[in-house]
Each structure stands twice: as structure tokens, then as C-alpha cells.
Amino acid sequence: MANAKLLLSDLASSIDCVPSRYVRPVNDRPNLDEVQSSLDGSIPLIDLQDLHGPSRSHVIKQIAEACQIDGFFRVKNHGIPESVIHGMLSITKEFFHLPESERLKNYSDDPLKTMRLSTSFNVKTEQVSNWRDFLRLYCYPLEDYIQEWPSNPPSFREVVAEYCKEARKLALLLLEAISESLGLERNHIDKALGKHSQQMALNYYPPCPQPELTFGLPGHADPNALTILLQDDVPGLQVLKDGKWVAIHPIPNTFIVNIGDQIQVLSNDCYKSAVHRAVVNCQKERISIPTFYCPSPDAVIGPAPGLVDHGHPALYRKFTYSEYFGKFWNRGLATQSCLDMFKT
Ligand code: OGA
Ligand code: NI
């Protein structure tokens, strides 16, 4: 049984061509040349420093515009110390460089597990695999989950916990600003998310011998409320903008923020849950670390009453986040979004 590896990273280093289960149909490939030639379409860079001063309303307006148009923006002066960012990226690399037997202690293909190392997206339901391994962690409330996290590398829990706390502070700041930008009470989204939940993925994309045939992650919208993405210095993220894929280049010490499906629903479609994807390359491994800020499983989500009136009927029915999340994983990223399943 050659190639009977659970994880891609343990297979990728020993092959010169992409195994057939990773090869996408011809009409569903990255078209790397096409994207590289349309490099211009960058996303707005918003300075969060100004949220704390007299220019707050200006920043709120920038956020509103970005969320309406693309559902994507970049932030600087976000308050997360450089050392914490650096520590998080380093420990992730260390984790994925551990011996296979050590990493595999964390393996599971059950999407509902609160801690698991896995590969691709959902190996149980998908037709074509993706060029990615990932460690998925629930991280709020921290004390409920930290004990199940990997204990190797030895400082893993401490370093990741520190990052999670900082990412949560940033998420709360952004959720207030986003509520305000919708004309809602500052704490509207905070309340709508119930007890809140926070998850993260540590994504590891090994170098790929034929990056034109496969995806790290195919086009999708995130099911959560808000995503805060930390990435290393290797490009790979692309955003769908006016029907075209645009490469988003890494800028050190900034984060990419994107609206997820729950805020699209809460905003009654004022804001867009942006479709994005990750491509791979033949030279360098890439690490990305999205924080998925979410409602708690029992929170009931629906369009904010303040955004619904005669002229703007509710576009979605109410649902619990656990119902939404279950549907998201079962569908195996075969369609870009599962919002349609909840439309009125
Ligand atoms: C994700 C995701 C993008 C990236 O994990 O949901 O979109 O750049 N990742 O890895
Ligand atoms: Ni995503």
C-alpha cells in the first residue's frame, strides 16, 4: 500500500505529481496566470488606531463601505503585539514539522470534534481532496478547551492561548464597529451571538508539484460571523471581486478581516460574506491561521429587526448556529455558500 498516508504533508514531500484524488475538473482549476495578471485589486487597509479617537466615525464609514462592497478589508494598528503574532506563526510551523507519529495523535475526520488534526476539508463527504492539512481548535471559553489541545510542542498551549485572547479582543472591537456601521446599537451583534464561540484553524499548505491542478481550499464563504486571518509571508489567498479572483498579498503585522455568513444574515444582506479561496505553489509551504468568531451553538440568528421593514423584508428565516454549522460541513464545499438554504 504505497501512499497510505492520512496527512498530506507526509505524502507531499515524496511525490513529483499531484495524485488523481487532488486533481480538479478542467473547468474548476485555479487559472494561476489569469489571476497574476490582475494584481491591482487590493482591498482597503483600515487603521484601527483611529477607532479610539475623534476620527471614529470616519473609520466606521470605511468599514461600512468595505463590508458592503467586498466583505473584506485589512487592518493595521489592531492592538495585537508583534511578538504574539510571531509566536503564533512559529509554533504552528513547529507543530507541522513534528514527526508524523506525534502529529497523528491529534487526528480525526469528524468535523464536530472540538480539537482535531485533519486534511483537505471534509474527507468524509468531498469528491476531490484539497492540498491542505489543518489543526482545528475551539478556543472560547478557553478553559473549556485548552486541556484537549496538543501538548507538543511543549509551549503550544501557552503560546496559542495568548494569541486567542488577543484575537478575541480584536474580534469584539470589530463587532462593535460593524454593529455601529450598520446603524445598530454597538452591542447588537455581541448580544445576537449568545454566549459567543471562537474557533481557529492552523492551516498548513505544503509545496505542491502541480499547483495549477488543485486548490489549497476551493472558493467558499465562511459560515461564522467574522474571520480574522493571520498569514505568513507566502501568497495564496484570493478574493472574488466583481466576478474575478484577486490575489491578496501578505503585509506583515496586518490582518485580513472578512465578513462571514452570520453577519450577512444579521445585516439582511447589507453586508457580504465574501467568497475566497487559497491556492498553493510549488516552492514554499504556507501557513495561514484564521480565527473564526461565531455565535454559540444555541444562538438564534436572523436579520436584525432594525434592518427589516416594509421595503426591506427579512431575507432569511431564523435558525440556530448549530443547524447552520452542521449543514456547512456536510456539504463538503461543493457549493460556494450555504446561505441559500436559509433564505425565506
Ligand atoms: C479558511 C480560509 C484562507 C487561507 O480557512 O476558511 O479561507 O488563506 N483560509 O488559508
Ligand atoms: Ni475561509
Side-chain angles (χ1 to χ4, degrees):
M1 276 271 281
N3 292 349
K5 297 274 188 196
L6 283 173
L7 294 169
L8 170 66
S9 39
D10 301 311
L11 167 73
S13 53
S14 63
I15 50 177
D16 330 307
C17 59
V18 166
S20 56
R21 70 173 191 278
Y22 293 93
V23 176
R24 316 276 323 174
V26 179
N27 62 357
D28 182 27
R29 290 183 183 170
N31 285 326
L32 296 169
D33 300 336
E34 202 178 290
V35 171
Q36 276 158 7
S37 61
S38 65
L39 265 180
D40 58 329
S42 52
I43 54 170
L45 173 59
I46 300 181
D47 187 345
L48 295 184
Q49 184 79 57
D50 296 339
L51 270 180
H52 309 288
S55 314
R56 181 173 172 95
S57 62
H58 175 66
V59 185
I60 300 289
K61 207 165 144 234
Q62 284 181 304
I63 291 177
E65 268 172 32
C67 295
Q68 282 160 15
I69 299 171
D70 295 317
F72 254 93
F73 52 97
R74 211 191 279 272
V75 295
K76 65 174 183 181
N77 294 322
H78 39 68
I80 304 189
E82 238 177 277
S83 57
V84 173
I85 294 176
H86 179 75
M88 185 64 222
L89 286 166
S90 307
I91 204 82
T92 302
K93 193 170 196 163
E94 257 183 74
F95 175 82
F96 282 100
H97 287 191
L98 286 173
E100 182 178 2
S101 58
E102 193 54 37
R103 274 173 292 136
L104 280 175
K105 290 177 184 165
N106 307 291
Y107 186 86
S108 166
D109 58 15
D110 175 0
L112 298 181
K113 281 199 80 172
T114 52
M115 188 290 294
R116 66 184 184 119
L117 176 67
S118 193
T119 189
S120 187
F121 174 73
N122 184 354
V123 286
K124 281 183 166 168
T125 58
E126 67 204 359
Q127 306 278 317
V128 184
S129 298
N130 303 300
W131 202 263
R132 171 183 81 140
D133 288 338
F134 63 98
L135 179 67
R136 185 109 191 172
L137 303 175
Y138 278 52
C139 35
Y140 180 80
L142 201 48
E143 59 279 12
D144 290 358
Y145 299 111
I146 193 165
Q147 295 309 323
E148 54 186 49
W149 291 1
S151 52
N152 194 4
S155 63
F156 185 90
R157 292 182 185 171
E158 189 190 331
V159 171
V160 177
E162 183 67 24
Y163 178 77
C164 288
K165 287 186 221 158
E166 293 290 340
R168 178 163 191 268
K169 278 195 261 171
L170 176 56
L172 295 177
L173 187 80
L174 288 166
L175 290 175
E176 278 194 0
I178 291 169
S179 296
E180 204 176 326
S181 75
L182 283 163
L184 300 167
E185 296 286 324
R186 254 193 214 187
N187 64 357
H188 181 91
I189 299 178
D190 171 15
K191 283 199 288 189
L193 302 186
K195 295 196 205 77
H196 295 207
S197 164
Q198 181 181 345
Q199 305 175 14
M200 71 198 298
L202 282 56
N203 290 325
Y204 182 77
Y205 304 99
C208 174
Q210 295 169 293
E212 65 286 359
L213 300 182
T214 192
F215 285 116
L217 272 176
H220 66 280
D222 292 345
N224 45 287
L226 190 73
T227 303
I228 299 175
L229 182 81
L230 167 61
Q231 50 179 337
D232 68 6
D233 55 359
V234 179
L237 176 66
Q238 298 181 350
V239 175
L240 191 61
K241 206 173 148 80
D242 304 324
K244 277 196 177 162
W245 289 104
V246 175
I248 305 295
H249 289 274
I251 302 181
N253 293 314
T254 66
F255 290 89
I256 308 282
V257 177
N258 70 276
I259 296 295
D261 292 349
Q262 304 313 306
I263 290 187
Q264 177 163 336
V265 171
L266 282 162
S267 77
N268 206 26
D269 275 4
C270 289
Y271 287 179
K272 255 197 227 137
S273 175
V275 174
H276 54 284
R277 66 186 190 184
V279 299
V280 289
N281 73 84
C282 51
Q283 269 147 9
K284 288 186 173 170
E285 62 186 14
R286 173 171 181 258
I287 286 168
S288 80
I289 305 167
T291 287
F292 302 115
Y293 209 78
C294 318
S296 33
D298 59 352
V300 177
I301 303 294
L307 300 174
V308 174
D309 60 29
H310 274 313
H312 305 89
L315 299 173
Y316 300 92
R317 69 170 172 86
K318 289 186 178 166
F319 52 83
T320 60
Y321 187 57
S322 62
E323 182 188 356
Y324 199 94
F325 198 62
K327 288 220 162 80
F328 173 81
W329 281 97
N330 277 331
R331 168 201 59 112
L333 288 192
T335 52
Q336 288 186 340
S337 169
C338 49
L339 281 167
D340 287 345
M341 292 189 253
F342 296 85
K343 287 227 154 99
T344 49

